Amino acid sequence: MANTAKKQFAVIGMGRFGLSVATALSNMGFDVLAIDAEEHHTQAVANQVTHAVSADSTDEDALRALGIRNFDVVVVAIGEDIQASILTTLILKDMGGPLIVVKAQNELHGKVLQKIGADKVIFPERDMGLRVAHHLTSPNILDYIELSEEYSIVEMRVSSQMIGKNLKELDIRARFGCNVMAIKRGSKMNISPAATDRLTEEDILVIVGEKSDLTKLELAYAES
Ligand code: ATP
């Protein structure tokens, strides 16, 4: 049976990223504990989350006192102080319990976080930079999600050359080595598109493939 209990989140570090995650979760109706070493940062978020407390997350006793072990997910959003981010992650890992999601400042920081057992490492600036770059070079690209070092997913608006054609005619798999996983049309999502489905102007293709193949596809259909 699905677990219907409301998930409990803790977010450590109320910089721009942490604040955005904490308030978004709170607006989605989840319980959120916001933690920051600086009192004025916790005060600034106090009326937007369930609880906001001032604490140094590199202090194990302080984290224990907050009952951090009982949360479902802890997001470590400390950026600049890489040492504090790593130490906090280590302490959380050692305690066991929550899923640990950590913001990495750079590739090396990310590697260390992975090695010490962070469950998910995120690179917000790098990922957003990638998305913006893909959108700028090919305005048809609405979103770009990196799956691994080799593979990504793009959301691509149907270009004028594609309108009225079907997937068989476009032959994206043979020509670019990429797979159309789904077609979005308005609020509907067709997750098993047929080769004979004709594309309309409002369609958005969700395509998975190797990054270099996706770039070839993006450039082939780029239009300003
Ligand atoms: P942004 O998301 O704005 O880019 P950033 O990556 O620059 O932020 P920082 O400003 O370094 O991140 O840190 C974010 C917040 O984390 C700050 O408000 C800081 O007070 C808090 N912080 C730093 N170290 C600790 C710690 N040991 N315990 C709790 N909070 C901390």
Side-chain angles (χ1 to χ4, degrees), residues 12-18 36-38 41 55-58 77-81 84 103 105 125:
I12 302 174
M14 289 295 112
R16 284 164 303 177
F17 177 72
D36 198 288
E38 306 275 345
H41 284 171
D56 178 355
S57 60
T58 63
I78 301 171
E80 267 158 43
D81 189 344
K103 170 190 160 167
Q105 195 75 348
E125 290 90 356

Side-chain angles (χ1 to χ4, degrees), residues 25-119:
L25 287 167
S26 188
N27 289 338
M28 289 159 84
F30 293 106
D31 283 334
V32 178
L33 168 65
I35 302 169
D36 198 288
E38 306 275 345
E39 176 115 34
H40 63 277
H41 284 171
T42 42
Q43 268 170 9
V45 72
N47 57 7
Q48 300 175 68
V49 295
T50 321
H51 293 291
V53 293
S54 303
D56 178 355
S57 60
T58 63
D59 176 349
E60 186 170 349
D61 294 336
L63 287 186
R64 279 193 197 283
L66 289 171
I68 209 92
R69 277 197 55 175
N70 303 320
F71 282 79
D72 297 294
V73 181
V74 181
V75 180
V76 182
I78 301 171
E80 267 158 43
D81 189 344
I82 290 180
Q83 201 175 326
S85 156
I86 292 171
L87 200 51
T88 301
T89 306
L90 261 179
I91 294 170
L92 292 169
K93 187 73 196 169
D94 213 36
M95 280 183 183
L99 188 91
I100 307 167
V101 179
V102 194
K103 170 190 160 167
Q105 195 75 348
N106 54 48
E107 293 293 328
L108 186 60
H109 183 197
K111 272 190 191 156
V112 175
L113 293 170
Q114 242 137 22
K115 278 252 184 303
I116 63 176
D119 297 295

Side-chain angles (χ1 to χ4, degrees), residues 69-215:
R69 277 197 55 175
N70 303 320
F71 282 79
D72 297 294
V73 181
V74 181
V75 180
V76 182
I78 301 171
E80 267 158 43
D81 189 344
I82 290 180
Q83 201 175 326
S85 156
I86 292 171
L87 200 51
T88 301
T89 306
L90 261 179
I91 294 170
L92 292 169
K93 187 73 196 169
D94 213 36
M95 280 183 183
L99 188 91
I100 307 167
V101 179
V102 194
K103 170 190 160 167
Q105 195 75 348
N106 54 48
E107 293 293 328
L108 186 60
H109 183 197
K111 272 190 191 156
V112 175
L113 293 170
Q114 242 137 22
K115 278 252 184 303
I116 63 176
D119 297 295
K120 191 163 172 55
V121 179
I122 37 185
F123 300 85
E125 290 90 356
R126 187 195 70 180
D127 291 351
M128 189 46 87
L130 263 175
R131 284 177 191 190
V132 170
H134 279 267
H135 182 64
L136 288 175
T137 50
S138 175
N140 280 340
I141 302 304
L142 303 175
D143 206 353
Y144 182 94
I145 301 162
E146 196 174 47
L147 295 177
S148 69
E149 275 187 24
E150 278 175 88
Y151 294 96
S152 289
I153 291 178
V154 294
E155 273 192 14
M156 182 180 192
R157 201 184 287 129
V158 160
S159 74
S160 54
Q161 310 151 60
M162 293 176 169
I163 298 170
K165 298 217 167 96
N166 63 29
L167 293 181
K168 195 171 169 204
E169 287 159 351
L170 289 177
D171 212 10
I172 285 174
R173 190 178 301 161
R175 289 169 59 215
F176 301 100
C178 303
N179 278 300
V180 178
M181 297 195 303
I183 300 174
K184 279 190 195 176
R185 187 171 295 172
S187 59
K188 295 218 166 65
M189 181 95 163
N190 176 1
I191 56 160
S192 52
T196 50
D197 286 349
R198 298 239 163 250
L199 297 174
T200 69
E201 198 176 352
E202 54 172 332
D203 288 346
I204 293 168
L205 304 178
V206 183
I207 308 169
V208 65
E210 276 192 36
K211 289 177 184 174
S212 54
D213 293 334
L214 286 171
T215 302

